[in-house]
């Protein structure tokens, strides 16, 4: 016990002399995360992604409605599912697994400024603001 106390006193003294905190006591910096780069979406747009957490390919829409997202979304054209979405609009956005936003194919909706992962078992083929 006496040795441990001596070691702690010596460590603290060294830290004071060297002007820092001992390496074993210093907090480790947080590693950069993919979340910082994820969910890239312009204000006023509804964005959808081929990857989880706003990663992968992105397709974004400023229109109040889109009858067929496959018209201009590469990953939907390749029949990849939509895994995450970001509603960076001031309106609720409803999305559908079928074209022309048929109520029979509604799969979900997002509140304004909401983002997150989806179920991942469908494509968003059409959308409209409420």
């Amino acid at each position: 016990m006496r040795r441990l106390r001596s070691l702690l006193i010596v460590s603290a003294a060294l830290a004071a002399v060297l002007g820092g905190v001992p390496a074993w006591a210093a907090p480790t910096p947080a590693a950069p995360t993919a979340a910082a780069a994820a969910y890239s979406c312009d204000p006023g747009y509804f964005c959808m992604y081929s990857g989880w957490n706003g990663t992968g390919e992105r397709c974004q829409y400023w229109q109040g409605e889109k009858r067929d997202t496959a018209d201009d979304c590469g990953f939907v054209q390749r029949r990849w599912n939509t895994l995450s979405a970001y509603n960076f609009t001031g309106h609720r956005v409803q999305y559908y697994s079928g074209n022309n936003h048929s109520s029979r194919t509604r799969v979900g909706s997002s509140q304004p400024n909401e983002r997150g992962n989806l179920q991942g078992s469908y494509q968003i083929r059409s959308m409209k603001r409420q």
Side-chain angles (χ1 to χ4, degrees):
M1 183 65 149
R2 193 174 197 157
R3 235 180 226 177
L4 181 59
R5 190 169 17 151
S6 296
L7 180 61
L8 289 174
I9 291 170
V10 169
S11 295
L14 274 172
V17 169
L18 296 175
V21 178
W24 53 267
T28 56
T33 63
Y39 291 108
S40 171
C41 189
D42 295 329
Y45 285 76
F46 174 76
C47 296
M48 55 189 209
Y49 308 88
S50 65
W52 300 112
N53 302 310
T55 62
E57 289 186 37
R58 176 192 71 181
C59 297
Q60 63 177 10
Y61 303 96
W62 60 268
Q63 303 94 326
E65 69 175 50
K66 183 69 176 172
R67 294 187 174 275
D68 190 356
T69 60
D71 289 343
D72 50 11
C73 184
F75 76 84
V76 172
Q77 292 170 2
R78 290 189 297 279
R79 301 183 192 279
W80 296 359
N81 289 340
T82 308
L83 301 184
S84 53
Y86 186 5
N87 178 8
F88 205 3
T89 74
H91 307 278
R92 180 185 187 103
V93 174
Q94 293 185 336
Y95 30 92
Y96 306 82
S97 62
N99 297 342
N100 299 317
H101 34 78
S102 165
S103 62
R104 291 175 294 145
T105 64
R106 184 172 178 266
V107 289
S109 66
S110 296
Q111 297 293 333
N113 301 309
E114 184 177 45
R115 64 184 181 183
N117 291 327
L118 304 175
Q119 184 179 358
S121 61
Y122 55 84
Q123 295 179 317
I124 293 178
R125 291 299 303 260
S126 59
M127 49 75 65
K128 68 179 177 178
R129 292 182 188 170
Q130 295 296 300

